[in-house]
Amino acid sequence: MSIDIYRELVDAVVYLVDAADKERFAESKKELDGLLSDDSLANVPFLVLGNKIDIPIAASEEELRYYLGLSNFTTGKGNVNLSDSNVRPLEVFMCSIVRKMGYGEGFKWMSQYIK
Ligand SMILES: Nc1nc2c(ncn2[C@@H]2O[C@H](COP(=O)(O)OP(=O)(O)OP(=O)(O)O)[C@@H](O)[C@H]2O)c(=O)[nH]1
């Protein structure tokens, strides 16, 4: 489904990546880059979730940042006030949806940037 028709309604983007599927990191990066460079999403906070960390071969957070090209672009966990800057909030949180862990912190982080 195209995101186009929703663009003006988007408050945030949650980008879910399978951290255990390293073969598709390049594809994930390409898709993410497309969203990050989309003008209509320029000020929208991005939460990147690296899922399936219950699988032993899953990438670490640092690896995922690296493969997605985000090593120098994440804006910090916790409460980081970016309202006086032109910087778009962006963070990576690792999670396991089946184990119900990790994503809560990510959504909590993201909620501080949604008006
Ligand atoms: N081990 C594990 N499996 C998960 C987790 N979250 C989802 N899954 C499983 O992943 C499967 C579906 O996910 P994917 O096939 O990766 O996702 P998809 O978007 O449908 O497919 P792709 O576009 O091919 O990635 C289901 O069997 C889920 O149960 C998780 O945190 N850990």
Side-chain angles (χ1 to χ4, degrees), residues 16 18 21 24 27 51-55 95-100:
L16 184 69
D18 183 341
D21 193 354
R24 295 185 71 189
E27 182 187 346
N51 188 32
K52 305 197 187 179
I53 56 166
D54 56 289
I55 298 176
C95 71
S96 169
I97 291 177
V98 290
R99 297 268 169 92
K100 298 189 169 70

Side-chain angles (χ1 to χ4, degrees), residues 36 38 74 78 86 94 103 108:
L36 289 170
D38 188 310
T74 50
N86 253 342
M94 304 306 283
Y103 51 86
K108 193 173 167 204

Side-chain angles (χ1 to χ4, degrees), residues 12-16 45-49 89-93 103 105-110:
V13 171
V14 179
Y15 193 81
L16 184 69
F46 271 64
L47 167 61
V48 177
L49 291 176
L90 189 161
E91 256 313 329
V92 177
F93 287 80
Y103 51 86
E105 290 84 347
F107 280 96
K108 193 173 167 204
W109 168 85
M110 189 176 66

Side-chain angles (χ1 to χ4, degrees), residues 64-84:
L64 191 66
R65 269 177 220 277
Y66 174 77
Y67 286 111
L68 296 180
L70 301 175
S71 300
N72 297 320
F73 294 104
T74 50
T75 54
K77 296 185 179 180
N79 291 323
V80 180
N81 186 352
L82 298 171
S83 56
D84 297 331

